[in-house]
Amino acid sequence: MVQLLEENPLRVGLLQERTPEPLILVIFGASGDLTARKLVPAIYNLKQQRRLPPQLTIVGVARRDWSHDYFREQMRAGLENYGQGVGAEELWQDFADGLYYCSASMDDPKGYQKLNDLLSELDQKRGTRGNRVFYLAVSPQFFPEAIMQLGQAGMIKDPSKTRLVIEKPFGRDLASCQELNKVVQKVCDERQVYRIDHYLGKETVQNLLVLRFANAIFEPLWNRQYIDHIQITVAESVGVEDRAGYYETAGALRDMLQNHLMQLFCLTAMEPPSQMEADALRNEKVKVIQATRLADTKDLQNAAVRAQYAKGWMKGKEVVGYRQEPGVNPNSTTATYVAMKFFIDNWRWQGVPFYLRTGKRMPKKVSEIAIQFRDVPYLLFQSAASQVSPNILTLRIQPNEGVALRFEAKMPGTELRSRSVEMDFAYGKTFGVGGSDAYDRLLIDCMLGDQTLFTRADEVEAAWKLVTPALTLWDAPTDPELVPQYEAGTWGPQAADQLINRDGRQWRRL
Ligand code: BG6
């Protein structure tokens, strides 16, 4: 257990608390799940923490014919169902006074004109001074249209006053990502663009930066000389839920690995940035992805494995297989599990394998980065009773957020026997509170104009490029019989075990 010694107000951008300028947050897709589940609860949290200017105004945009009041009711229901409730009634009233709705369709220029008129009116009424954040919480096929229309209506012209937030997935392969980047670049400047990957908003993910760059003891060991390999796992117990329509077109590689796991990978492997500033950090992320390759591109099965969950048991309940889920094609070849092995061709990491895996319907929800150190060069304790395990530094992303270091200790007694023990830092215990929600952090950063935790155009492109060989292979028509299966409630297919066992290593048991 780690004790909190003294508060250290690190003088890095990460911990500064500023209040954004008055602005209007325009949410496209306001009648959708993301708005009620994540965005509005996050903004309400920020309001409760007094992080927002009193003028902050939200305009929801969607096709449905809702009134301002109906939108307010829906958002209140969202806070009650998915957030912490509304708390003090006056606070809610004050918040609700800043909620507006505009019914418009994504492809109708008149809708944008109507929206623009409403925004100008609200500037007068609420003192928002022409500052706007446009948040695209719509299905990805509408991104290009919405961006072009915003551009044509002249609504995102001014880089000092307008920003554009784009949800994932950003494209579905390298070509479509480049295409989308072109559309974006045609109408606005990269400084205005905030591509969201909510993993970057997680407290524990940001802690990776602090762990690596605010401590002297890790960096000297953070290289091929001391590290044997790194495992990054993002396991989920849920299945596809009610998202078959989207998931069938995505699969685990597009949905999780190319973005969320790639971010964890970058922050683990990148060089120290010269300063805690958006471009300095993003330059390092791009550099490390560009130096990375799949471990074997000639015989891809040595570097990439995909699979689909079959029926099985979760917590004593029988669950259906992926192909039997509502809305899923019974012959679907979409993968719900993917494991990959990468190498980074640079001085720090040459020869150190990075194993990444993610899947749905695994035995539990757990995400972690495990740094396994090399064996000791010579073992003094040769007695048979001595089983020396390698040191492992584990960064627990979720749940039970924290950091643990495994090392050997002598067991009490007259014999010289050792056992692996752990030093453990748990966020909850040490700080007494859990971290804030990822969306709270990302929304406030965007309102403040801080792009550090958002992905840049070249970064997403590099990440797509890296996984292209696997995408190409797996997108090709395949006999569904040939897609490996794993039983729901297990840790993935045999082929994934082989991927790592072949190297004399094993996946961690979580
Ligand atoms: C989303 C994916 O981006 O991340 C989902 O689309 C996944 O499929 C989710 O379940 C996982 O996020 P978290 O924060 O629960 O790990």
Side-chain angles (χ1 to χ4, degrees):
M1 147 110 184
V2 175
Q3 267 189 330
L4 197 58
L5 295 179
E6 67 187 65
E7 203 173 316
N8 176 12
L10 287 172
R11 305 213 187 290
V12 292
L14 273 178
L15 303 181
Q16 281 172 1
E17 294 217 335
R18 289 184 287 137
T19 306
E21 292 282 302
L23 59 86
I24 306 180
L25 174 65
V26 182
I27 306 177
F28 288 90
S31 58
D33 230 28
L34 184 68
T35 308
R37 260 178 202 264
K38 292 283 182 192
L39 304 183
V40 170
I43 298 162
Y44 199 69
N45 271 346
L46 292 168
K47 171 133 185 119
Q48 279 173 321
Q49 294 159 23
R50 299 171 193 275
R51 299 290 319 272
L52 300 176
Q55 302 92 330
L56 185 102
T57 305
I58 298 176
V59 175
V61 185
R63 216 186 324 214
R64 290 184 202 176
D65 196 14
W66 287 359
S67 65
H68 298 312
D69 277 339
Y70 189 72
F71 178 57
R72 289 172 191 141
E73 277 167 36
Q74 292 300 306
M75 295 306 110
R76 182 178 182 132
L79 286 170
E80 277 156 4
N81 295 335
Y82 311 116
Q84 314 277 335
V86 295
E89 197 56 35
E90 308 94 78
L91 187 81
W92 162 252
Q93 274 316 326
D94 187 35
F95 185 74
D97 285 348
L99 292 180
Y100 292 84
Y101 183 80
C102 175
S103 153
S105 108
M106 292 276 114
D107 51 0
D108 178 10
K110 283 196 214 108
Y112 292 81
Q113 204 42 62
K114 181 169 139 197
L115 173 64
N116 212 4
D117 293 345
L118 174 64
L119 299 182
S120 310
E121 189 188 317
L122 290 172
D123 275 340
Q124 298 305 319
K125 192 163 163 188
R126 305 213 17 114
T128 41
R129 306 178 200 164
N131 295 323
R132 324 220 181 294
V133 170
F134 294 101
Y135 197 119
L136 300 187
V138 291
S139 174
Q141 78 253 29
F142 297 119
F143 291 166
E145 180 72 34
I147 298 166
M148 271 175 337
Q149 294 277 0
L150 281 170
Q152 274 161 16
M155 292 165 80
I156 40 176
K157 259 201 318 245
D158 185 349
S160 67
K161 288 192 167 296
T162 53
R163 298 183 187 131
L164 181 63
V165 185
I166 308 174
E167 266 292 333
K168 72 163 258 270
F170 198 88
R172 49 173 289 105
D173 51 22
L174 179 58
S176 55
C177 169
Q178 286 170 330
E179 216 28 64
L180 186 54
N181 274 333
K182 270 195 212 141
V183 174
V184 171
Q185 282 148 11
K186 221 182 249 168
V187 303
C188 61
D189 194 284
E190 183 65 30
R191 279 175 298 157
Q192 292 168 268
V193 187
Y194 292 73
R195 294 175 192 80
I196 285 224
D197 184 312
H198 79 277
Y199 266 57
L200 284 174
K202 288 184 192 276
E203 209 75 81
T204 40
V205 176
Q206 291 157 41
N207 186 47
L208 231 161
L209 294 172
V210 176
L211 182 101
R212 285 194 60 195
F213 305 129
N215 291 295
I217 59 169
F218 298 115
E219 191 54 21
L221 309 178
W222 213 260
N223 56 51
R224 63 192 302 274
Q225 205 181 338
Y226 294 100
I227 293 177
D228 177 74
H229 76 279
I230 293 182
Q231 293 187 24
I232 301 182
T233 304
V234 177
E236 295 188 276
S237 54
V238 291
V240 67
E241 301 177 286
D242 52 2
R243 301 164 70 219
Y246 152 73
Y247 200 83
E248 273 284 87
T249 64
L253 179 51
R254 290 187 168 93
D255 185 47
M256 299 290 288
L257 194 135
Q258 183 271 348
N259 34 72
H260 303 328
L261 278 86
M262 199 44 62
Q263 290 302 329
L264 301 181
F265 166 83
C266 284
L267 297 183
T268 307
M270 70 182 191
E271 294 301 312
S274 55
Q275 45 182 315
M276 190 59 205
E277 180 272 322
D279 274 328
L281 188 106
R282 298 187 301 176
N283 288 343
E284 296 308 331
K285 289 202 283 170
V286 175
K287 272 195 247 166
V288 79
I289 309 179
Q290 285 173 343
T292 305
R293 60 177 164 86
L294 275 160
D296 189 341
T297 41
K298 288 203 187 81
D299 197 354
L300 209 60
Q301 62 177 353
N302 292 328
V305 167
R306 64 157 168 181
Q308 220 178 37
Y309 64 82
K311 72 173 191 279
W313 293 82
M314 302 285 309
K315 290 195 183 143
K317 254 183 72 189
E318 192 164 23
V319 295
V320 297
Y322 178 68
R323 289 180 191 160
Q324 291 80 50
E325 295 277 15
V328 172
N329 175 354
N331 290 318
S332 171
T333 55
T334 303
T336 58
Y337 175 99
V338 54
M340 288 187 160
K341 176 181 166 191
F342 293 105
F343 281 121
I344 306 174
D345 291 327
N346 66 14
W347 279 47
R348 187 190 286 268
W349 295 117
Q350 190 60 41
V352 178
F354 283 71
Y355 301 97
L356 275 57
R357 62 175 165 162
T358 180
K360 294 207 183 276
R361 282 285 188 233
M362 316 242 77
K364 55 179 165 178
K365 181 171 173 74
V366 52
S367 302
E368 63 151 52
I369 302 168
I371 323 283
Q372 180 161 329
F373 291 88
R374 285 182 185 276
D375 289 332
V376 288
Y378 168 70
L379 192 57
L380 272 182
F381 317 107
Q382 298 293 359
S383 83
S386 259
Q387 284 290 328
V388 174
S389 307
N391 299 132
I392 300 183
L393 180 69
T394 315
L395 313 176
R396 294 190 303 269
I397 306 297
Q398 62 191 26
N400 188 18
E401 290 78 358
V403 180
L405 179 65
R406 184 175 89 175
F407 59 97
E408 289 295 298
K410 181 189 169 301
M411 288 168 72
T414 49
E415 271 180 87
L416 189 60
R417 290 168 63 198
S418 75
R419 212 190 81 183
S420 293
V421 293
E422 260 190 4
M423 281 199 293
D424 197 338
F425 150 62
Y427 261 88
K429 267 193 207 151
T430 304
F431 293 113
V433 285
S436 55
D437 184 80
Y439 276 95
D440 296 18
R441 172 66 204 237
L442 295 174
L443 279 162
I444 192 86
D445 278 8
C446 168
M447 292 183 202
L448 289 167
D450 182 349
Q451 291 179 302
T452 310
L453 299 178
F454 296 84
T455 48
R456 205 170 58 188
D458 51 350
E459 187 183 339
V460 229
E461 288 183 15
W464 280 121
K465 195 165 169 203
L466 178 61
V467 298
T468 294
L471 279 180
T472 313
L473 182 73
W474 295 341
D475 279 351
T478 320
D479 179 352
E481 293 293 309
L482 298 179
V483 177
Q485 306 282 302
Y486 60 100
E487 206 177 297
T490 66
W491 285 104
Q494 261 183 2
D497 291 336
Q498 285 156 8
L499 175 87
I500 190 165
N501 296 162
R502 214 178 277 133
D503 300 339
R505 302 186 176 97
Q506 284 174 351
W507 291 115
R508 280 168 51 75
R509 281 207 225 126
L510 303 173

